Amino acid sequence: MHDATYTPPASLDALRRQSLIIGVIGLLAAAAGAFLNPGQFFHSYLLAYLLWLAAALGGLALTMLQHLSGGGWGVVLRRIFEASARTLPWMALFFVPLLFGLRDLYPWTDTAAVAADHILKEKAPYLNVPFFLARAALCFAVWIGLALALTRWSAEQDRTGDPALAVRMRNTSAIGMVLYFATMTVAAIDWAMSLEPHWFSTMYGFLFVIGQALMGLAIAIVMARKLSAEAPMSGVYNAGHFHDFGKLLFAFTMVWAYLSFSQFLIIWSANLPEEIPWYQHRLSHGWELIGIGLVVFHFAVPFIVLLSRRSKRNASLLAGMAMWLIAARFLDLFYLIGPEAYPHGLGFHWLDAAAAVGLGGVWVALFAANLKSRPLLPLRDEGLERALHGAQH
């Protein structure tokens, strides 16, 4: 018999406390590094920020995807996705330190450099600080508005069971998906691509979107495995559920590989002077090792493991693969933005690790607190019973 309330276990409190301690220690170390090496701090913090923003936005995107698809896989993960999405107001706050490092990060903020560079001068109507701040504010307003609306209506659905709420969440998600793709493309261009403002790619925003979907799903799988080890969710998740999660993780991994290779192939084939230097930087001076690592660790290993039906149905193995992909997401982001921090060759600073661990610890603590505050399943969702009993295959 399932627990009718699906009350979160006390172990989430322990996770929150432990993560917060780790996060505070990491952020204190990063803050000390900010005084010693401000330029490196801002590059490291941007890397960490993009990694954990992906967890929050991945949760939002997967929440909307579940409302649109109505799939049982998403019903049993929805509260985990929502807990991730509800960290977005905090992520807006964590964005503030980057505002103090714009001159350390972005060449287009240097008026002298812009005046001396024809391309930067042409891009100045878009790449300027006031417009940059306005776009960032718009992106956060859209993301936070969607997250708060959808999670509030989901909680109201638990209380009232009003069927109109399901329609409202589905319709909002349809519009929200379009807004998410548009705003995330803007954010990817502003916060990452403009680190090297001469370069551009029309696929760049989509790479961030699929990376966020991977990150959000990987975190949900790890948490589902943890929750499945104790009541009340030990009687909910079964091999069929994890099989479904694994299939989706496999699909996202393949889409990431397709987009990454397509961008490389198109730019390398065109061999245009405006585009090719970005890859030249990443195929020399040690950075080619990171590229090879991504082929192996972000594609080949997950492909081999997730191709197996048995692997996808093994909750522990699937959770391990999800954690592997979280690490691979860090490696991918490091490859995308790292060469701007280390222009003379492959490098890694202790601040890269400190910022990622610090911000990640605090994020996990906030995520666990959100997850603890509501039932672990949407109690009156019309697809709940089907999701609970229809994944036995």
Side-chain angles (χ1 to χ4, degrees), residues 3-9 12 74-83 86 151-152 154-159 227 232-233 236-237 367-381 384:
D3 184 337
T5 60
Y6 299 104
T7 304
L12 288 176
V75 174
V76 294
L77 290 180
R78 189 205 294 176
R79 285 297 154 79
I80 300 177
F81 296 150
E82 290 176 348
R86 287 164 62 201
T151 57
R152 184 177 67 249
S154 182
E156 186 179 343
Q157 184 185 53
D158 275 2
R159 293 191 302 270
L227 292 173
M233 302 304 284
V236 172
Y237 292 123
F367 163 76
N370 287 340
L371 192 58
K372 184 72 166 60
S373 67
R374 293 183 179 180
L376 292 172
L377 291 174
L379 302 178
R380 299 193 180 184
D381 187 280
L384 179 59

Side-chain angles (χ1 to χ4, degrees), residues 214-352:
L214 261 171
M215 186 74 171
L217 182 59
I219 287 173
I221 290 171
V222 172
M223 182 53 62
R225 175 65 187 96
K226 174 180 173 57
L227 292 173
S228 71
E230 55 188 316
M233 302 304 284
S234 56
V236 172
Y237 292 123
N238 56 55
H241 289 123
F242 284 99
H243 188 207
D244 288 342
F245 307 158
K247 288 189 291 185
L248 193 59
L249 192 65
F250 180 80
F252 286 156
T253 302
M254 294 304 99
V255 174
W256 172 85
Y258 171 77
L259 290 175
S260 298
F261 180 70
S262 296
Q263 177 178 268
F264 171 78
L265 183 64
I266 292 170
I267 290 177
W268 197 258
S269 299
N271 199 27
L272 297 176
E274 302 89 0
E275 299 178 351
I276 203 67
W278 193 86
Y279 275 110
Q280 289 178 322
H281 296 165
R282 287 158 178 79
L283 293 173
S284 61
H285 299 95
W287 287 102
E288 68 274 14
L289 299 176
I290 303 296
I292 294 170
L294 285 171
V295 173
V296 174
F297 296 112
H298 203 317
F299 170 67
V301 172
F303 177 84
I304 293 169
V305 173
L306 295 174
L307 196 61
S308 165
R309 183 174 187 270
R310 180 176 297 179
S311 297
K312 292 193 284 283
R313 293 175 69 84
N314 184 319
S316 297
L317 180 58
L318 184 63
M321 192 70 258
M323 294 180 69
W324 177 286
L325 280 167
I326 291 171
R329 291 305 311 140
F330 177 85
L331 190 67
D332 185 41
L333 287 169
F334 186 62
Y335 184 72
L336 289 175
I337 70 174
E340 277 66 60
Y342 305 102
H344 304 297
L346 177 61
F348 188 84
H349 197 278
W350 66 267
L351 272 170
D352 295 330

Side-chain angles (χ1 to χ4, degrees), residues 9-33:
S11 61
L12 288 176
D13 289 323
L15 175 64
R16 177 179 57 81
R17 289 192 298 269
Q18 294 163 5
S19 299
L20 187 60
I21 292 171
I22 293 171
V24 169
I25 293 172
L27 287 182
L28 287 175

